[in-house]
Amino acid sequence: MFQITFYEDRNFQGRSWECMGDCADFSSYLSRCHSCRVDSGCWMMYDRSNYMGNQYFMRRGEYSDYMRMWGWNNCIRSCRMIPMYRGSYRMRIYEGEHFGGMMHDMMDDCDSIMDRYRMSDCMSCHVMDGHWLMYEQPHYRGRMWYFGPGEYRSFRHMGFRCMSMRRIMHSWF
């Protein structure tokens, strides 16, 4: 079972709330959230309700002041649990939107699509197996997005372009 504990204030102070699954809006549990402890599992955090806004990946550990750590101007408002996965990883990336342009199959991490594939952009993908984190800059930097199995036809509407990606491995749980 996955579990995370949220605290209203930094350094695990103030009221707390334990969460064991997805939560689209913390407002009924806490007025704000500025620190958390991930007891088990991997989670995506969002700075807006309904899994919107900036995202950040968290795994087991203590996050006493994540706002200063990541330069956020706001606090966590929603979270999504990432299911554990132990199989093979497969994703097809496309240079253009709607699965257009150059295409490559991925089965492992890629720290730069420009260096590996000579692609200037990755604007759509089809995740066949596994769970992935995609980053807007090479070498796993910049804003990130979580992608589970499914088709993602356009990153443009998210204001995103993908330059690197890595698998969310079961060893991280």
Side-chain angles (χ1 to χ4, degrees):
M1 185 178 300
F2 296 163
Q3 182 175 331
I4 187 168
T5 305
F6 296 99
Y7 299 85
E8 283 189 330
D9 299 319
R10 291 167 178 78
N11 299 314
F12 317 110
Q13 299 295 310
R15 288 185 0 184
S16 66
W17 173 63
E18 290 183 0
C19 178
M20 295 183 188
D22 297 354
C23 181
D25 187 359
F26 291 177
S27 63
S28 60
Y29 305 106
L30 298 172
S31 61
R32 62 188 179 276
C33 176
H34 290 285
S35 59
C36 67
R37 277 192 179 99
V38 178
D39 299 310
S40 56
C42 291
W43 302 78
M44 285 308 292
M45 304 297 163
Y46 303 83
D47 67 354
R48 293 179 43 208
S49 299
N50 298 314
Y51 318 113
M52 302 292 288
N54 292 316
Q55 300 181 29
Y56 202 83
F57 174 78
M58 292 183 184
R59 57 184 173 180
R60 185 186 310 245
E62 295 186 344
Y63 302 86
S64 62
D65 187 1
Y66 58 81
M67 289 175 47
R68 185 170 28 159
M69 205 166 104
W70 302 314
W72 283 13
N73 294 325
N74 207 341
C75 62
I76 293 173
R77 295 287 183 203
S78 57
C79 69
R80 179 170 282 155
M81 182 181 66
I82 299 173
M84 187 181 292
Y85 179 77
R86 293 185 183 264
S88 61
Y89 290 77
R90 291 184 320 135
M91 174 172 48
R92 185 166 284 158
I93 61 172
Y94 298 86
E95 188 173 34
E97 294 180 280
H98 307 286
F99 314 121
M102 193 181 317
M103 179 272 299
H104 293 282
D105 287 326
M106 309 248 342
M107 294 192 292
D108 60 352
D109 300 349
C110 176
D111 66 351
S112 172
I113 62 167
M114 177 59 112
D115 292 345
R116 185 184 288 183
Y117 299 118
R118 299 292 179 241
M119 287 176 65
S120 59
D121 277 317
C122 172
M123 294 304 294
S124 58
C125 73
H126 178 197
V127 176
M128 280 89 66
D129 296 305
H131 300 270
W132 299 74
L133 290 176
M134 300 177 94
Y135 299 81
E136 69 179 350
Q137 296 176 17
H139 309 290
Y140 318 119
R141 291 194 209 127
R143 292 184 304 164
M144 69 175 67
W145 281 262
Y146 162 70
F147 289 88
E151 293 183 346
Y152 303 90
R153 297 182 174 278
S154 175
F155 298 162
R156 188 176 317 278
H157 78 279
M158 294 185 277
F160 173 63
R161 68 184 267 216
C162 175
M163 298 304 290
S164 57
M165 64 272 305
R166 67 169 40 144
R167 300 161 293 165
I168 301 173
M169 305 296 288
H170 71 275
S171 60
W172 295 3
F173 288 78

